[in-house]
Amino acid sequence: DQQVKQNSPSLSVQEGRISILNCDYTNSMFDYFLWYKKYPAEGPTFLISISSIKDKNEDGRFTVFLNKSAKHLSLHIVPSQPGDSAVYFCAAKLQGGSEKLVFGKGTKLTVNP
Amino acid sequence: NAGVMQNPRHLVRRRGQEARLRCSPMKGHSHVYWYRQLPEEGLKFMVYLQKENIIDESGMPKERFSAEFPKEGPSILRIQQVVRGDSAAYFCASSPLGADRSIQYFGAGTRLSVL
């Protein structure tokens, strides 16, 4: 069963506009969420994270929003740049469990010049 | 500060052979994780190790797969008698002790192809 879901396999935006990537989860025991970016033939690169005690975390052009009641988080990238084109993975960690991460299937973002 | 190092980057094996994947964590990191990614899928957790200890192997197949992280040297993921279904990208990640341990840093992966 898919505990972390990224329902949009792909997203295309214009350079300079906002990119919004979405992620839903089913397990209310997740207490920490992360976003990773992945280029082809490379490993995932950590972008930004958020604890379940917060509803927003910002780092430069990247902001993550967490809505616990809806079990939903989103990653906003503004302004989007062509170099942001990659696959973005949402991941979650269980409270009190081992440190293993549960990943979504990813969303491929294309930023057009 | 070197990142997580994995080797080899590409590994080709015939059915029935053994595959050994190596991972050196980032300097100062004592936690190592292995994940597997099939085409068009997300990463799936396999095993979590600290030095000389397996902490969580709930994602690892019970047969043919094993992992270790010895006191000295890299972590090794070993797949015995490989089958075509083992073809995938295998990623290693590491994290430090303490409050930042929830952030895992990944290597570039080993792409295993089984002929």
Side-chain angles (χ1 to χ4, degrees):
Chain A
D1 66 332
Q2 192 89 31
Q3 296 188 70
V4 176
K5 300 177 186 179
Q6 295 178 256
N7 292 318
S8 298
S10 62
L11 174 68
S12 184
V13 298
Q14 282 301 120
E15 181 178 5
R17 307 294 287 267
I18 186 171
S19 296
I20 300 176
L21 297 109
N22 293 305
C23 178
D24 297 294
Y25 61 96
T26 57
N27 194 332
S28 57
M29 296 302 290
F30 287 137
D31 70 344
Y32 198 78
F33 302 90
L34 307 91
W35 284 95
Y36 286 86
K37 176 169 80 171
K38 186 180 181 301
Y39 294 117
E42 294 185 13
T45 301
F46 170 72
L47 272 178
I48 192 168
S49 61
I50 188 166
S51 165
S52 60
I53 62 173
K54 296 186 176 181
D55 54 19
K56 178 182 174 182
N57 189 25
E58 191 172 352
D59 183 2
R61 296 186 298 115
F62 302 93
T63 303
V64 56
F65 296 92
L66 175 62
N67 182 333
K68 280 194 298 183
S69 60
K71 295 191 178 69
H72 176 84
L73 65 157
S74 60
L75 174 68
H76 293 212
I77 307 173
V78 56
S80 300
Q81 300 172 354
D84 295 330
S85 297
V87 177
Y88 288 78
F89 290 100
C90 171
K93 188 182 77 68
L94 279 168
Q95 178 184 19
S98 92
E99 300 295 319
K100 70 180 179 185
L101 298 178
V102 180
F103 281 83
K105 290 189 175 184
T107 297
K108 183 176 181 180
L109 173 66
T110 302
V111 180
N112 301 301
Chain B
N1 187 13
V4 177
M5 303 300 292
Q6 289 188 250
N7 67 82
R9 290 293 308 273
H10 300 275
L11 183 60
V12 179
R13 285 289 178 265
R14 296 192 180 280
R15 280 180 298 169
Q17 291 184 321
E18 178 180 287
R20 281 187 181 238
L21 289 64
R22 286 176 289 277
C23 169
S24 296
M26 286 179 72
K27 189 175 181 180
H29 287 192
S30 57
H31 301 240
V32 165
Y33 315 81
W34 286 93
Y35 292 82
R36 176 164 64 177
Q37 186 185 26
L38 296 171
E40 309 303 322
E41 295 286 324
L43 280 73
K44 295 279 198 271
F45 168 80
M46 298 182 74
V47 62
Y48 163 34
L49 309 104
Q50 294 179 19
K51 283 285 186 182
E52 300 185 281
N53 284 307
I54 296 175
I55 306 301
D56 180 356
E57 56 182 347
S58 59
M60 200 144 74
K62 295 289 186 285
E63 296 180 354
R64 303 189 298 108
F65 285 73
S66 62
E68 62 176 9
F69 188 17
K71 188 176 179 181
E72 301 291 339
S75 175
I76 306 284
L77 179 67
R78 182 182 177 205
I79 311 172
Q80 294 178 289
Q81 300 173 334
V82 296
V83 301
R84 289 220 173 100
D86 296 332
S87 296
Y90 291 82
F91 292 98
C92 171
S94 71
S95 66
L97 286 170
D100 290 335
R101 68 183 181 277
S102 294
I103 300 175
Q104 297 177 18
Y105 298 88
F106 284 82
T110 293
R111 277 143 190 89
L112 172 65
S113 297
V114 179
L115 304 180

